Amino acid sequence: MRQALLVSKVLGVTNMNSSNQPQSPEGTENLISLTIDNQSYSVEKGQNLLQACLSLGLDLPYFCWHPAMGSVGSCRQCAVTQYQNSEDTRGRLVMSCMTPLTEGMIISLKDDKSQQFRETNIEAIMTNHPHDCPVCEEGGNCHLQDMTLMSKHINRRYSGKKRTHLNQFLGPLLNHEMNRCIGCYRCVRFYRDYCGDKDLNVFGSKSHLYFGRAESGVLQSHFSGNLAQVCPTGVFTDKPFSHHYSRKWDLQTAPAICPHCSLGCNINLGQRSGSIRRITNRHHDEVNGHFLCNTGLFGYEHVNHNERLEWPLKRNNEHKTTDKLTPEQAQTLLAEYCETPNENCIAVGSVRTHIENNAALLKLFGEQQFYLGIDDSHAQLLNMLCSAYHDTSLSPISLAEVERCDAALIINEDITHTAPRLALSLRQMSRNAGLKQAAKLGIKYWQDDAVRNIAQTTLSPVHIVQSHGSELSDIATQSIILNSAAQTVLLQEIASLLTTHLNSQAEQPASSEAKAIVNDLMAAEYPLVITGVQNRDLKQVSLSIEIANTLKQLKQDTGFYAVTQDGNDLHLGMMTANSHPKNASQGLDSLLKRLNSGTVETLIILETDLYRYLDKSQLDDALNQVKQIVVIDQLLTKTAAMADLILPATSFAESYGCYLSSEGRLQLSFATMVPIEERLTPWQWLSTQIGIPSYCELVLWISEQLPQLKAIETFAELARFNELSPFRVARQAVRSSSRTAIDAVEHVKEEQPPIDLNGPFTHSMEGVAGFRQALVQPISVLPADQWSPKWNSDQAGSRAGVNHTRDQSSSTTSPWTQGVQIFSPNPQAKRELGYQQTHSSMPLESEQIRLTPSANLYADFELASYSKALTSLAPHKLARIHPETASKWQLEENQQIRLYSDRSQVALECLFDSNQAKSTISVPTNYFRQLGTWARLTPLPAQKRSETSTQESTQPLSNEEER
Amino acid sequence: MLSQIRTLITILKHTFTRADTVEYPEQKPYLSPRYRGRILLTRDPDGEERCVACNLCSVACPVDCISVVKTEKEDGRWEAQSFTINFSRCIMCGFCEEACPTHAIQLTPDVEMAEYDRQNLVYEKEHLLISGPGKYHDYNFYKISGKSVNGKMKGEAHNELPPINVRSLLP
């Protein structure tokens, strides 16, 4: 053991922390010792040999294995020599990915036999590989390049002809170049086995293998973008990235947090010359693991968008012009506007900005004047969730923990669209029953083929209660489609059944569905309840909390996850919870009332497009009553167009700030690039007004003022990084090129690189390179740049399930990389939900119909909707209605209908869908937000149909066949 | 004493040898065709730009004086949208030529590039591009690579079989 540590220390593999810490008894039990090339090592049990070698930092090439997908042994690249015992000199070749670890095993990586085998193998793999590297997007970021070099295959001997393939059009996200395929099967294993989608497949045999769709067309999976990283070579490449291409070594990167949905996935943002070029997954054990959804991967265009605001602008009513201001002038004007008596100034906070910015606004105006940029019912739900996490023993679990559960109940949330990565985790969770079966037979979890063979169709129970069909229904034990009233009845049954279990009373009569759900939840070791705010249904969310809470008392390991709706909305539930009576919300509906009272003089709107939430005419009227409107935003939204003063704000790529995910994980997002001079972070615009000049002080103010966000104080040290550590970390790779030419056309003299005083990163290649960072102990943040010698490709960054051996030291402990979980499970707070059961307003008039939102991950997230590639994938806006309900309303298929409530109105084409709950109608989320939960319905005259149908028939995508 | 005399003799001897100094502007020295001077971008035998904007010259450059931005033609052909060489930084090391996988970037024996204004030493694509193939007459990258472009479909490149018919039942 001691020797092993010494060895690994010399090799620079294991971090210093682990050698200082005494091994826990549990830890040594889990270890197994083995000898590799006459060095002894100890590694964790249960892995395969390849994984063990990689986690030790040894160089062993592989293609088909993937830490998240296990081994199938198809590429034969990871061969090593295994010896019987210490006398054995001949040994035998084994595929390390298919070899379980055994105590005292002796293997060799460097012996001639296995080296020769690996070299010959890759030579065979490369016989058909085209001479494409210079014109391949994967070049310089290619697993095949890395592995070829590592296997020392440098000279092509095969003189035969290369097989070729025709390509397919696969949609706006991916390029297809089948010639480059090496037949490792990773793409189909990811697409079909991991994501459960069906439209990518493998055809043919031998060297005729073809990985693609049955015919050209858009890939249906929400995770198709990951294929660019899953493919070890350039068969699938990132299409939007190719349109503004830059080699990997030229990208300036920093660790950031995805701003779209509420899961808080970790990403790496890459920029060059002031524009974001691509987003890649940043491995986080507990959150996103190895994969992101398409929205996360491609939703960055808003940063480069031509509607970005570049100047402070002032409406000049006298001359009917818009004047550009300098930042100083703008700040003076802002101070002038804020001089009016406090009660006449109102602020609107945002769900897509950092916590710090909302807090600055809160400080400026006080809680009474601070409105949340979400509708009232959303705000109430967030309040309810926050108080549930605070008062009860419930706390949301991480996605990794979701994957460990063995029964799930999803209540009224379409997670495939509102939290896609969670749906992917749930899919992995459903495999647990099969894995358990395999484990009984002694098959390890990573033996992918064997496990799937044993499991067949065995799935862990997943029950879905929803108002329309779910894309998860293929793994669901029960997919129950009910309208909200019937759902409430079902949930009450479940809740009371669980209560009888808790009090060990005699069983009550209940519906068979409810019984099946309760039985499965009770039989499970780690049951899971998932709910969300999507439907704005207070009753159901409170029932879900009650169910989870009761279950928690029955089973200690019950998991709970409540999906919220936007990137950073959960913390808004804490901002106003203190001073207001419970459930008196401060949402946009209340704002509208306040504006209509006519007393408001100054309205400051922070990064919220009010027109997304409220009806245009109502809002126009309300805004016209306000004397001065100030908008702080990144983009010229409709709301910004109404403003008297616009202050341009930085995007998530240009500023430091915290996100709170719906899991309650507080994570810091680092700035990737420098903002232009006129753009400031929103809190910086306000900093003179609130008297807080620095980030550090603002963070400390938040931790004092908002007790639930106390943990944010951890991040106050951000600016002190420079004092604490003598080292700075480079955002650019050591290979970064064209420094003296890139701006030479404008100005041949090179400028000094911009200095970042806020954080530990430099905007240049000066500083510690990412791949050497583990050697520099005082720095515990993630490496910023993504380039490293040898194991350079993106996927190699996550080999062995750890984000490079280089940051093992930091990955376990540092809040900078892991975030801080603010809802710690509170075992003392045993029971009694701390809030009143609320009644959802349920009008009984027969002409009203319950609306349900039909979410879509490409259409719903405001910032992502600036990405052209994503919006082209968004579906047509339709209302879905059950045929029976439709006949009740005397509707025909494809008829135009008008939905109106006292909040807004909308005309939509209606589509019959028997997977829609009866007496409900589903409308796109954006309309649902504006209309509210109930609306009146009138069919429109039929002649209107032809106009709109011709309008809508213009397909956004051309299905051209590519060569 | 003796060494001083020897020095004098050595120096005097030089009076009778031919001068090595050349009267430069009037009399030009011979520079071999492989001499590393002004850099240019060449075209392939078909007259298309050879540069595919792969950025390898840029990353090989020890003084980082080359900047290339990639764009793609409609047929999938990669091309440089802009190609900038800052000759005020260039050290004529020729690494870019060595790195170039398409023989696009070539160094020539022209060294007379002096300018009064440093800004004039920034050469862009239109200043670098010539109309011929330079030192390598026959090489055409796209005839060898697997990517299809106008005039060369899949399977028509050097050493390639025709595309596989995926729907065929034959093995």
Side-chain angles (χ1 to χ4, degrees):
Chain A
M1 182 65 221
R2 186 88 212 120
Q3 193 196 350
L5 277 174
L6 212 69
V7 166
S8 47
K9 215 168 157 185
V10 171
L11 292 172
V13 173
T14 318
N15 56 75
M16 283 150 181
N17 285 354
S18 75
S19 57
N20 296 338
Q21 284 164 1
Q23 290 282 345
S24 62
E26 213 176 44
T28 37
E29 256 172 47
N30 269 331
L31 293 180
I32 212 168
S33 65
L34 73 165
T35 311
I36 305 172
D37 289 321
N38 299 326
Q39 306 260 26
S40 57
Y41 299 90
S42 41
V43 289
E44 248 175 71
K45 261 184 198 169
Q47 319 176 54
N48 57 52
L49 186 52
L50 173 64
Q51 209 171 353
C53 290
L54 295 174
S55 61
L56 288 170
L58 302 174
D59 293 331
L60 184 53
Y62 65 89
F63 293 113
C64 64
W65 177 79
H66 189 283
M69 292 187 280
S71 332
V72 287
S74 72
C75 74
R76 320 310 281 170
Q77 191 56 43
C78 62
V80 297
T81 310
Q82 184 177 7
Y83 299 95
Q84 205 72 19
N85 47 45
S86 50
E87 274 102 65
D88 184 4
T89 50
R90 272 177 53 193
R92 62 194 168 96
L93 279 179
V94 292
M95 296 305 135
S96 61
C97 71
M98 299 300 280
T99 311
L101 290 176
T102 47
E103 179 65 38
M105 75 193 301
I106 305 169
I107 60 156
S108 173
L109 267 56
K110 290 183 182 156
D111 68 312
D112 290 345
K113 206 202 272 175
S114 66
Q115 265 193 4
Q116 171 104 52
F117 180 90
R118 294 198 294 263
E119 201 185 322
T120 323
N121 188 59
I122 204 155
E123 194 172 1
I125 285 176
M126 294 291 284
T127 50
N128 286 319
H129 197 74
H131 185 67
D132 264 5
C133 296
V135 290
C136 175
E137 289 87 348
E138 202 85 350
N141 181 18
C142 177
H143 193 60
L144 182 62
Q145 280 180 340
D146 294 351
M147 295 301 104
T148 311
L149 217 61
M150 193 175 288
S151 311
K152 304 196 179 75
H153 166 58
I154 45 164
N155 193 19
R156 182 183 171 83
R157 290 186 294 169
Y158 175 73
S159 58
K161 296 196 164 190
K162 295 176 179 179
R163 64 105 181 85
T164 56
H165 278 295
L166 294 175
N167 302 329
Q168 285 180 330
F169 169 80
L170 296 179
L173 304 180
L174 288 174
N175 288 316
H176 193 221
E177 189 65 47
M178 245 325 276
N179 278 359
R180 299 171 187 156
C181 182
I182 59 166
C184 70
Y185 279 76
R186 260 198 194 178
C187 52
V188 282
R189 287 176 58 219
F190 169 73
Y191 202 87
R192 300 178 70 85
D193 298 348
Y194 198 85
C195 301
D197 288 284
K198 299 281 176 259
D199 61 320
L200 184 87
N201 212 340
V202 53
F203 306 93
S205 63
K206 297 197 298 183
S207 64
H208 288 196
L209 280 185
Y210 191 86
F211 295 87
R213 287 168 52 95
E215 52 192 9
S216 278
V218 181
L219 285 173
Q220 296 301 310
S221 174
H222 303 329
F223 303 94
S224 56
N226 291 293
L227 286 175
Q229 271 186 52
V230 166
C231 178
T233 176
V235 178
F236 301 98
T237 48
D238 187 329
K239 202 182 250 183
F241 179 39
S242 180
H243 292 157
H244 41 230
Y245 188 67
S246 170
R247 292 282 176 205
K248 180 181 178 173
W249 55 72
D250 282 338
L251 290 174
Q252 173 174 322
T253 49
I257 305 297
C258 179
H260 302 305
C261 86
S262 64
L263 297 181
C265 293
N266 287 211
I267 55 173
N268 275 315
L269 262 180
Q271 75 98 16
R272 174 114 170 127
S273 337
S275 74
I276 295 293
R277 301 303 175 94
R278 66 162 190 173
I279 286 176
T280 47
N281 179 59
R282 177 157 59 93
H283 184 87
H284 188 300
D285 277 333
E286 295 294 313
V287 187
N288 45 307
H290 297 271
F291 308 112
L292 294 175
C293 70
N294 285 346
T295 305
L297 281 171
F298 301 101
Y300 54 81
E301 288 293 341
H302 62 95
V303 183
N304 312 337
H305 206 272
N306 53 17
E307 280 183 18
R308 274 303 290 280
L309 296 163
E310 289 177 349
W311 291 89
L313 296 170
K314 180 184 176 288
R315 180 195 300 273
N316 189 332
N317 284 330
E318 281 166 34
H319 300 98
K320 304 242 181 293
T321 52
T322 311
D323 301 342
K324 279 182 187 174
L325 302 180
T326 63
E328 294 74 35
Q329 286 172 327
Q331 247 156 354
T332 332
L333 198 62
L334 178 70
E336 212 173 278
Y337 285 169
C338 294
E339 256 172 27
T340 47
N342 198 333
E343 58 270 21
N344 295 343
C345 288
I346 277 189
V348 180
S350 165
V351 289
R352 57 174 162 93
T353 193
H354 296 139
I355 294 177
E356 294 82 353
N357 302 330
N358 279 330
L361 212 53
L362 183 68
K363 176 156 197 310
L364 184 58
F365 291 109
E367 290 190 15
Q368 293 301 328
Q369 318 297 328
F370 185 71
Y371 285 81
L372 313 176
I374 44 179
D375 46 79
D376 276 10
S377 49
H378 189 178
Q380 282 168 20
L381 282 162
L382 294 176
N383 272 341
M384 180 194 277
L385 284 173
C386 289
S387 56
Y389 295 150
H390 187 253
D391 302 337
T392 70
S393 59
L394 277 187
S395 59
I397 59 174
S398 67
L399 296 195
E401 284 167 309
V402 167
E403 291 187 18
R404 275 171 235 142
C405 290
D406 52 359
L409 169 63
I410 306 172
I411 302 167
N412 213 4
E413 178 81 12
D414 187 6
I415 55 170
T416 50
H417 288 284
T418 58
R421 186 63 188 80
L422 175 64
L424 190 63
S425 289
L426 203 79
R427 222 167 246 289
Q428 309 320 309
M429 178 239 113
S430 73
R431 288 188 61 213
N432 283 342
L435 282 164
K436 221 174 184 177
Q437 270 189 9
K440 267 187 211 156
L441 296 170
I443 308 287
K444 293 278 185 323
Y445 68 95
W446 44 261
Q447 295 267 25
D448 196 53
D449 249 3
V451 170
R452 283 179 199 277
N453 214 352
I454 291 164
Q456 297 290 337
T457 52
T458 315
L459 291 171
S460 292
V462 174
H463 297 271
I464 305 175
V465 182
Q466 243 179 24
S467 53
H468 54 86
S470 163
E471 285 169 36
L472 282 173
S473 55
D474 59 323
I475 56 159
T477 326
Q478 278 192 106
S479 185
I480 307 167
I481 298 170
L482 292 173
N483 63 30
S484 87
Q487 275 180 26
T488 312
V489 174
L490 179 71
L491 293 179
Q492 273 164 346
E493 275 181 354
I494 296 172
S496 64
L497 276 177
L498 284 170
T499 322
T500 55
H501 272 287
L502 186 65
N503 304 335
S504 11
Q505 295 161 340
E507 201 154 288
Q508 287 174 348
S511 64
S512 59
E513 286 103 345
K515 274 184 185 163
I517 291 171
V518 171
N519 286 344
D520 277 340
L521 290 177
M522 290 302 294
E525 212 174 325
Y526 306 100
L528 167 67
V529 178
I530 293 177
T531 185
V533 303
Q534 180 198 13
N535 278 281
R536 304 281 187 273
D537 201 322
L538 291 158
K539 182 93 181 159
Q540 273 160 24
V541 174
S542 73
L543 272 169
S544 314
I545 294 172
E546 193 186 322
I547 289 172
N549 200 31
T550 322
L551 202 57
K552 182 104 185 171
Q553 289 160 61
L554 286 158
K555 302 209 165 259
Q556 193 50 50
D557 293 319
T558 300
F560 179 72
Y561 204 105
V563 180
T564 55
Q565 203 162 18
D566 295 283
N568 214 358
D569 58 351
L570 187 59
H571 78 278
L572 292 180
M574 302 166 184
M575 286 205 157
T576 54
N578 305 327
S579 68
H580 295 281
K582 295 272 151 93
N583 298 329
S585 58
Q586 288 271 79
L588 292 178
D589 305 277
S590 321
L591 173 79
L592 205 60
K593 273 182 216 142
R594 177 84 177 260
L595 293 182
N596 282 331
S597 70
T599 54
V600 180
E601 280 184 32
T602 304
L603 173 67
I604 296 196
I605 305 166
L606 172 66
E607 299 197 42
T608 306
D609 186 6
L610 298 176
Y611 286 92
R612 275 173 70 83
Y613 301 88
L614 298 167
D615 183 64
K616 186 173 183 308
S617 58
Q618 287 183 22
L619 189 57
D620 282 345
D621 293 344
L623 290 182
N624 284 335
Q625 300 183 36
V626 182
K627 208 167 138 201
Q628 301 119 1
I629 303 172
V630 182
V631 169
I632 309 177
D633 209 331
Q634 328 167 14
L635 292 143
L636 187 65
T637 59
K638 276 185 201 158
T639 311
M642 291 292 282
D644 296 292
L645 174 65
I646 302 180
L647 304 173
T650 52
S651 67
F652 81 119
E654 298 153 319
S655 53
Y656 292 89
C658 289
Y659 285 97
L660 182 67
S661 74
S662 51
E663 182 204 337
R665 193 180 290 272
L666 199 59
Q667 299 182 103
L668 186 84
S669 182
F670 291 87
T672 310
M673 55 187 187
V674 219
I676 57 169
E677 218 173 288
E678 290 78 15
R679 268 183 212 142
L680 295 180
T681 315
W683 69 263
Q684 285 175 327
W685 281 117
L686 305 170
S687 67
T688 41
Q689 311 283 323
I690 56 176
I692 293 182
S694 78
Y695 180 82
C696 172
E697 281 169 62
L698 179 60
V699 166
L700 290 175
W701 182 83
I702 299 171
S703 70
E704 267 169 39
Q705 216 62 29
L706 303 165
Q708 279 188 296
L709 282 173
K710 190 162 189 337
I712 205 172
E713 66 189 359
T714 329
F715 299 117
E717 296 227 318
L718 182 69
R720 287 191 58 229
F721 258 118
N722 301 329
E723 301 162 30
L724 294 174
S725 163
F727 303 103
R728 314 218 53 198
V729 182
R731 277 191 181 90
Q732 287 177 7
V734 284
R735 277 259 173 241
S736 191
S737 74
S738 63
R739 182 175 49 86
T740 65
I742 196 156
D743 299 321
V745 177
E746 274 93 52
H747 194 56
V748 73
K749 262 176 89 177
E750 289 109 40
E751 300 282 321
Q752 184 190 11
I755 294 169
D756 189 349
L757 291 171
N758 298 321
F761 300 140
T762 61
H763 285 289
S764 66
M765 46 199 190
E766 288 168 60
V768 184
F771 67 93
R772 297 191 61 234
Q773 214 169 289
L775 307 172
V776 187
Q777 284 299 303
I779 301 173
S780 56
V781 291
L782 273 177
D785 81 82
Q786 291 303 300
W787 190 87
S788 83
K790 228 174 346 191
W791 293 90
N792 176 43
S793 71
D794 288 337
Q795 53 193 296
S798 58
R799 67 195 158 123
V802 204
N803 190 24
H804 258 253
T805 39
R806 64 190 184 194
D807 52 60
Q808 268 179 351
S809 54
S810 54
S811 64
T812 46
T813 49
S814 162
W816 303 99
T817 61
Q818 293 292 294
V820 192
Q821 173 54 267
I822 62 164
F823 304 122
S824 49
N826 182 3
Q828 270 79 42
K830 251 291 183 239
R831 242 241 65 91
E832 290 329 300
L833 302 174
Y835 53 85
Q836 295 291 308
Q837 290 258 330
T838 45
H839 316 279
S840 45
S841 56
M842 201 177 290
L844 296 166
E845 307 160 62
S846 59
E847 71 266 29
Q848 293 225 28
I849 188 163
R850 179 70 158 85
L851 302 181
T852 61
S854 76
N856 184 277
L857 79 159
Y858 302 126
D860 291 353
F861 300 107
E862 186 180 355
L863 291 178
S865 64
Y866 286 90
S867 294
K868 263 193 225 140
L870 293 180
T871 44
S872 69
L873 291 171
H876 289 308
K877 289 178 172 155
L878 291 168
R880 287 168 192 277
I881 189 163
H882 193 276
E884 264 181 47
T885 320
S887 65
K888 209 175 89 190
W889 290 87
Q890 284 139 22
L891 298 178
E892 290 164 40
E893 176 106 57
N894 300 335
Q895 191 177 1
Q896 284 281 320
I897 53 166
R898 195 165 73 94
L899 292 165
Y900 58 102
S901 65
D902 47 359
R903 303 180 64 193
S904 181
Q905 59 165 321
V906 65
L908 279 168
E909 192 178 332
C910 78
L911 185 80
F912 288 5
D913 184 355
S914 51
N915 272 334
Q916 174 70 25
K918 283 170 198 165
S919 52
T920 62
I921 187 160
S922 93
V923 294
T925 307
N926 287 347
Y927 294 143
F928 177 77
R929 269 197 204 119
Q930 291 185 356
L931 287 165
T933 44
W934 290 89
R936 290 185 177 77
L937 189 161
T938 46
L940 289 176
Q943 65 264 26
K944 272 202 168 179
R945 247 171 63 194
S946 55
E947 290 169 32
T948 46
S949 64
T950 47
Q951 211 172 36
E952 283 186 6
S953 66
T954 46
Q955 285 278 335
L957 278 174
S958 59
N959 232 18
E960 44 162 322
E961 183 108 2
E962 288 195 355
R963 282 164 312 276
Chain B
M1 181 69 199
L2 198 66
S3 81
Q4 281 169 340
I5 292 168
R6 197 163 55 219
T7 314
L8 275 173
I9 292 169
T10 314
I11 290 167
L12 280 172
K13 260 209 270 179
H14 274 288
T15 329
F16 305 102
T17 55
R18 244 182 71 202
D20 279 336
T21 316
V22 182
E23 296 295 317
Y24 165 62
E26 291 81 34
Q27 194 186 346
K28 304 228 158 138
Y30 171 73
L31 299 177
S32 85
R34 300 193 306 173
Y35 195 86
R36 299 195 305 261
R38 183 165 61 92
I39 299 171
L40 36 86
L41 288 174
T42 58
R43 290 172 185 274
D44 64 24
D46 298 343
E48 298 275 358
E49 285 170 30
R50 264 183 178 152
C51 176
V52 296
C54 72
N55 271 286
L56 287 183
C57 50
S58 167
V59 73
C61 180
V63 287
D64 283 347
C65 75
I66 307 179
S67 165
V68 192
V69 177
K70 175 232 158 184
T71 182
E72 209 169 311
K73 276 192 174 172
E74 251 175 44
D75 63 341
R77 202 184 164 103
W78 282 31
E79 218 180 55
Q81 188 181 50
S82 75
F83 197 112
T84 314
I85 299 181
N86 180 356
F87 277 108
S88 74
R89 285 284 182 190
C90 181
I91 55 170
M92 310 291 175
C93 67
F95 281 11
C96 47
E97 185 175 9
E98 273 179 45
C100 183
T102 65
H103 287 323
I105 193 164
Q106 293 178 16
L107 274 69
T108 57
D110 174 20
V111 290
E112 296 171 328
M113 304 173 67
E115 294 277 356
Y116 285 108
D117 185 0
R118 203 179 143 198
Q119 186 68 47
N120 294 342
L121 282 166
V122 178
Y123 281 42
E124 289 190 75
K125 192 169 146 186
E126 68 256 36
H127 311 125
L128 297 165
L129 196 64
I130 60 163
S131 52
K135 288 180 257 185
Y136 308 94
H137 304 290
D138 303 324
Y139 189 72
N140 190 338
F141 171 76
Y142 277 109
K143 288 271 148 60
I144 291 169
S145 87
K147 206 173 161 87
S148 66
V149 291
N150 248 352
K152 190 213 76 179
M153 291 297 116
K154 279 279 156 67
E156 291 172 3
H158 175 68
N159 233 9
E160 272 188 355
L161 292 168
I164 284 162
N165 178 9
V166 189
R167 298 186 198 282
S168 159
L169 289 173
L170 295 172

